Amino acid sequence: MGTAVAPGAFDQRKIEARQDVLVYTTEPFAEGIEITGPITPTIYVSSDVKDTDVTVKVLDVYPDGRAYNLDESIQRLRYRDGYDKPLAWMEPEKVSR
């Protein structure tokens, strides 16, 4: 990752507060939970530009509001079908998986 991103978990509250970020939050878990294995989100998106990036993060939110990243990934949508496939540009008004 070079020097652009430092590894590790960081408090994500400032990012969650941005107007261009969607946040989905569950109720607090009554008991501990284990999540094992890869996380593979499926997202449907439309855009008025031909390319955009989508980031997904799974966070552990503490009672005082601190929110630490457990896992995250980013996808440039032109490569959503794979890096070895033709570029998949977004089409205005069309929802893409």
Side-chain angles (χ1 to χ4, degrees):
M1 291 209 247
T3 59
V5 178
F10 298 96
D11 191 350
Q12 304 289 309
R13 286 181 287 186
K14 285 184 181 178
I15 294 170
E16 288 184 313
R18 288 175 35 173
Q19 294 300 308
D20 62 339
V21 173
L22 296 174
V23 177
Y24 299 96
T25 303
T26 68
E27 292 297 320
F29 295 139
E31 298 178 16
I33 185 171
E34 178 181 335
I35 300 173
T36 305
I39 298 171
T40 309
T42 301
I43 298 174
Y44 294 86
V45 63
S46 66
S47 179
D48 60 354
V49 296
K50 69 181 204 172
D51 197 20
T52 193
D53 296 339
V54 174
T55 301
V56 173
K57 296 182 179 191
V58 176
L59 306 178
D60 185 7
V61 181
Y62 287 68
D64 66 2
R66 290 176 295 146
Y68 290 97
N69 47 311
L70 299 174
D71 194 17
E72 62 185 84
S73 185
I74 188 167
Q75 177 67 59
R76 180 151 294 156
L77 292 183
R78 75 177 92 160
Y79 300 116
R80 66 187 175 275
D81 295 332
Y83 295 103
D84 59 339
K85 305 282 193 259
L87 298 180
W89 299 109
M90 300 291 295
E91 296 177 39
E93 311 272 333
K94 181 179 178 188
V95 176
S96 300
R97 181 172 187 245

